[in-house]
Amino acid sequence: MTDQFQLTEDQLAIQEMARRFTADAITPFAAQWDEEHLFPRETIKAAAELGFGAIYVSEEAGGIGLGRLEAALIMEAMAYGCPATSAFISIHNMAAWMIDKFGGDAIKARTLPGLVTMDLMASYCLTEPGSGSDAAALKTTARLEGDHYVVTGTKQFISGGGVNDLYVTMVRTGDDGPKGITCLVIEKDMPGVSFGAPEKKLGWNASPTAQVILDNVKVPVANRVGAEGQGFAIAMAGLDGGRLNIGACSLGGAQRCLDEAVSYVKDRAQFGKAIAEFQNTQFTLADMATDLEAARALLYLAAAKVTAGAPDRTRFSAMAKKLATDNGSSVVDRALQLFGGYGYLRDYPIERFWRDLRVHRILEGTNEVMRLIVGRDLLK
């Protein structure tokens, strides 16, 4: 009876491979990356050698052609070591999939081989200084002139900004609203492309973030992904998977903190006995584990729906993202409380996960927007 709720042998093998890679290549170094604001480029490229740079890019295009549940397992495993690094790889995967799924032969042939190996790294550019949750109000313009577009505008909060090679960018080619938006691949070395200063953030210090500034950038029509006016739909399709991955990153980070807390309370003694022996500690751990498993179950279900193209996939993706990121942050916060004053110190990993997971409730659509998506879908 439980078989339908179990991972397959192949999924367990993928999960184990990701866990081994994390234990060897991410976890021992993540604190230093955070402390020194280091971008672990070589580690990320090593992940691509396992296929993690093109998880759901088709096999025909050189990817490993897995589903969204397998992607979530990989992101969850890597976030156990460093949520920022796992999320960076997630965003690259989202951009690569959009090119593979919707791009023409020319842009696919020119970019996907490098994206698969992560010799080329890609960003997703939707948000602007004046349009965050109201993404359809974006103002970056693209004017068609012969065989190229002339693009002007600024993109805000771009992961990989200034570091990555390709920017899958939503621009306005038509009227106001979502139907006037088109998707273009903009390259780092195109004249007119520049970047703002690296943002100084609460967390995600191992993942660079900056504005992408576009000043009369000439982008070939061949770099268009999909048809004119299809950009917003493409962007939203990408976010169905991106939201699952960010939720999975919260699960991985929260699981790490729960495991750290369980180990700590067994060793930490107060009032003559280990604090693990206090009923209050046991109740707290029980609630943390329950919240984590509930979010995991919903996220895995939503991932299966996105892979299958189910009609309610967007609603379930939004619900899963909301629950996983809310519960993940809450689990980490309670883990920090169990550590007491030591949880607030950088000698222990809890405070880093507390900082890193906080942004997950904002990006890929705020959790308030997730509630709007779910509520509107229910009322259709």
Side-chain angles (χ1 to χ4, degrees):
M1 181 177 177
T2 61
D3 287 352
Q4 63 184 308
F5 300 109
Q6 293 177 341
L7 299 178
T8 67
E9 288 187 7
D10 286 346
Q11 289 167 341
L12 289 169
I14 291 164
Q15 183 183 58
E16 180 58 26
M17 179 172 63
R19 285 174 172 173
R20 288 199 306 269
F21 175 77
T22 300
D24 293 340
I26 296 179
T27 303
F29 311 105
Q32 181 186 5
W33 298 340
D34 174 73
E35 182 74 23
E36 300 180 14
H37 293 227
L38 297 176
F39 173 56
R41 180 184 294 273
E42 294 308 313
T43 302
I44 289 170
K45 288 187 68 175
E49 294 176 9
L50 301 176
F52 296 169
I55 298 168
Y56 37 84
V57 169
S58 63
E59 293 182 87
E60 294 79 10
I64 56 177
L66 297 178
R68 300 313 175 99
L69 176 51
E70 289 82 5
L73 295 174
I74 292 166
M75 297 303 161
E76 183 179 352
M78 291 193 293
Y80 193 89
C82 179
T85 299
S86 185
F88 183 94
I89 294 172
S90 163
I91 294 165
H92 169 89
N93 270 272
M94 179 168 62
W97 173 80
M98 291 164 67
I99 293 172
D100 180 39
K101 179 72 173 179
F102 300 102
D105 291 341
I107 191 65
K108 289 166 67 171
R110 197 154 57 81
T111 62
L112 284 174
L115 291 171
V116 167
T117 61
M118 294 191 79
D119 289 317
L120 296 176
M121 296 185 189
S123 294
Y124 173 89
C125 301
L126 176 63
T127 300
E128 297 183 1
S131 61
S133 294
D134 186 12
L138 66 85
K139 300 297 184 185
T140 296
T141 60
R143 184 178 69 256
L144 183 60
E145 292 187 357
D147 61 355
H148 63 267
Y149 293 93
V150 179
V151 183
T152 297
T154 300
K155 295 296 181 178
Q156 182 75 22
F157 303 131
I158 304 305
S159 292
V163 171
N164 284 353
D165 309 281
L166 302 177
Y167 298 85
V168 180
T169 306
M170 307 309 140
V171 300
R172 185 161 302 286
T173 54
D175 295 336
D176 292 343
K179 293 183 179 179
I181 295 172
T182 298
C183 180
L184 300 177
V185 176
I186 298 178
E187 300 166 36
K188 181 180 182 179
D189 59 358
M190 286 178 170
V193 176
S194 62
F195 305 94
E199 302 288 0
K200 298 176 181 179
K201 299 169 294 186
L202 175 69
W204 271 30
N205 291 326
S207 174
T209 305
Q211 283 187 338
V212 177
I213 303 165
L214 308 166
D215 183 13
N216 290 313
V217 180
K218 292 185 176 181
V219 181
V221 170
N223 280 33
R224 190 179 67 212
V225 177
E228 276 201 10
Q230 194 182 0
F232 193 75
I234 292 171
M236 295 303 104
L239 284 177
D240 279 343
R243 286 167 179 160
L244 294 173
N245 288 347
I246 288 300
C249 288
S250 284
L251 296 179
Q255 185 67 59
R256 169 71 178 282
C257 292
L258 174 58
D259 292 348
E260 294 279 350
V262 167
S263 178
Y264 181 79
V265 299
K266 290 177 181 178
D267 292 335
R268 176 68 168 168
Q270 293 286 276
F271 305 103
K273 59 182 177 180
I275 61 174
E277 297 182 34
F278 291 101
Q279 192 177 66
N280 178 69
T281 302
Q282 295 167 17
F283 283 0
T284 300
L285 291 172
D287 288 345
M288 292 162 67
T290 302
D291 289 348
L292 191 53
E293 289 299 342
R296 182 176 283 123
L298 178 58
L299 189 124
Y300 288 6
L301 172 60
K305 284 179 175 288
V306 172
T307 299
D312 55 1
R313 64 189 180 278
T314 296
R315 169 158 54 95
F316 270 79
S317 177
M319 289 193 296
K321 190 267 184 183
K322 176 194 175 298
L323 189 66
T325 57
D326 279 347
N327 285 9
S329 285
S330 177
V331 167
V332 175
D333 190 70
R334 282 174 280 176
L336 195 154
Q337 192 72 15
L338 287 171
F339 270 75
Y342 292 106
Y344 206 66
L345 302 180
R346 293 194 176 184
D347 302 87
Y348 296 86
I350 305 299
E351 63 84 30
R352 170 167 59 88
F353 284 89
W354 189 89
R355 289 185 287 108
D356 280 351
L357 262 61
R358 181 59 183 86
V359 75
H360 295 185
R361 290 153 59 192
I362 298 171
L363 53 80
E364 310 290 37
T366 66
N367 283 6
E368 290 76 14
V369 168
M370 298 304 98
R371 293 162 73 189
L372 281 174
I373 291 170
V374 173
R376 287 172 178 171
D377 192 66
L378 291 170
L379 293 168
K380 283 195 304 189

